[in-house]
Amino acid sequence: METQKRSKMAWLWENMKGYRAIYFIGILGTIVYNVMQLTVPYFTQMIIDIFLTGDEAAANLVNKRDLFFQLIIAMVGLTFLRTLIVYLVCMDVEHVSQKVLYRIRTHLFDKIERQDMSFYNTYRTGDLMTRVTGDLDAVRHMIAWVLRSIVESFSLLLATTVYFFYMDWRLALAILAIAPFIMVVIVKFRNKVAPRHKELRAKLSLLNTAAQENISGNRVVKAFAREDYEIKKFDECSVDFSQTNKKTALTWISYFPYIETFANLMPIVLLVVGGLFIMNGQLTMGEYVAFSSLIWAVQNPMRMLGNIMNEFQRFSAASEKVMEIYYSEPKIVDKPEALDLPQRFRGKVEFKNVSFQYEDGNMPVLHNISFVANPGETIAIMGETGCGKTSLIQLIPRFYEPTEGEVLVDDINVNDMKLTQLRKNIGLATQDVLLYSDTIDGNIAYGDSSLTKEEVEKFAKYSAAAKFITKMPEGYDTIVGERGVGLSGGQKQRISLARALAVKPAILILDDTTSAVDMETEKQIQHSLNELDFPCTKIIIAQRISTTKFADKILIIQDGRISESGTHEELVAQKGYYHSLVQLQTGEEV
Ligand code: GTP
Ligand code: MG
């Protein structure tokens, strides 16, 4: 626990690089303005002892008027100065906390962006959102408030203690004898509240996940008329969260009376012991007033410690979650000796005895896959749903790595290439189309923002999207919503195809991209795919014979194995799965 906490602080310290000096100045300022709190009671004590209660008080009032005014002016001046320092310190630590927050947030987003596909299977969006928002804010709060409050409390406490001892060590000891009891309570509180914050943090993540999934999945909710069910489910999450929140707050409240009682004992001790000392002439009235007017400077830090401990535990729970992502490393990265291949690829794709199993899966999904796609060829992949088609093509851009065998592009193992160079040569239209909340133009030019308007239109034409786009009220400037709300399935697919083509890839991979378009449109698309004005190897997953018929090679996948491969004619002649598909789809005996 201790070492872990230290490493959290070390992590924070690391991220404060560049701002440590100015943060240190802020901390120094905190010490200064807290020590300055003592000046007012000090001057008050002098005024009382010299001008009010001392033996020569009356004479001093006449003879030392200048000193009286000097003391008053010094008190007022120091109060103003102190306020100025507090202001500057607040600005200073706020500045540092925002800078550090920005740095960590950028780093986190960078980490999340560069993660492997499998990372997104593990972490839920709502949870990741919690980490980059609420959790990070707890980290910021640590810098802006918690650390400063610790210094504030301790410097005030220390300065007052020194001052108390300087005035009268016996009275000081009597008052401070109560402090250890408060410490015991604080430690007990810490042990109780730490797990609460962990729980609270987990509940917040659940709440955010529920909200996020419901918002992005609203169409499913509506389709099944499950609004009431979802509202109830969310409500449960929400109640759960607020109850945990309440429990956390109550933890503090249950400890607070003890601390408050001990803290309130201090003035009583002062009254009793101090009163006795005055009676015995061991303490001046001025000193008594100084003690009395500073007793809060001992009480308050004690009271604050509970609050600080609370916030510290919140930071502890949150930073743990942030650090998990902060230090996470994608497994699929460039090798140090990765080849530099800046030129455009020829587009040869080869699978050599490839087997593949998802890390979180319990069975291989691909077995011993071997095939070659020569530059410019069209390879069609067909097979029943769930047979492994999407898994297969995901190995080409190295979204996953084969468990056995090799995937080669231009005769080089993709594992030896630089990821960006490999992926820049691949145009991929995924099965699950995701468009950005942007204009249609922006979506098509996503992979290459330098694309001219004419080029965007050309690719829209290739993908048979131009017609419906121009019919839209704002044409290419029409904004499509998150996940392409406002477009039909086939329209989305065509924009996604245009987006994949727009990078003029050496390898084009289409995962069921024309499944939602009509036969006529599909024909147009096929025609333009054959007429592309750049060389391109096409790997097309499709269900329709009409799409695959003209491919140079058709691969039939069954249960993760290539069961048939060849041209349309060859496969029809084999009278296997493909043959039966042809019969089924054309309704003819062939
Ligand atoms: P359709 O797109 O429906 O035509 O299927 P497909 O041929 O593209 O199948 P896919 O490659 O997506 O899936 C093959 C098998 O892998 C199925 O049994 C899936 O359940 C499994 N699978 C797919 N994605 C994952 C994943 O991320 N993790 C795990 N563990 N299994 C997966
Ligand atoms: Mg698929």
Side-chain angles (χ1 to χ4, degrees), residues 2 8 13 77 82 159 241 250 299 311 468-469 492 539 545 559 587:
E2 276 319 301
K8 277 175 199 159
W13 184 240
R82 190 180 159 269
F241 175 69
L250 282 178
Q299 282 176 299
E311 292 298 326
F468 82 81
I469 296 173
K492 273 191 281 181
I539 297 182
I545 302 290
D559 289 330

Side-chain angles (χ1 to χ4, degrees), residues 117-118 121 356-366 381-394 400 431 511-512 541 543 557 560:
M117 286 281 189
S118 52
N121 291 349
F356 173 66
Q357 174 171 353
Y358 287 100
E359 244 172 64
D360 55 342
N362 44 15
M363 279 205 324
V365 293
L366 295 174
I381 302 177
M382 300 182 86
E384 287 167 6
T385 170
C387 67
K389 304 179 294 293
T390 302
S391 308
L392 186 152
I393 54 112
Q394 282 183 338
Y400 298 94
Q431 192 167 15
D511 192 348
D512 238 359
I541 298 178
Q543 306 290 350
I557 314 274

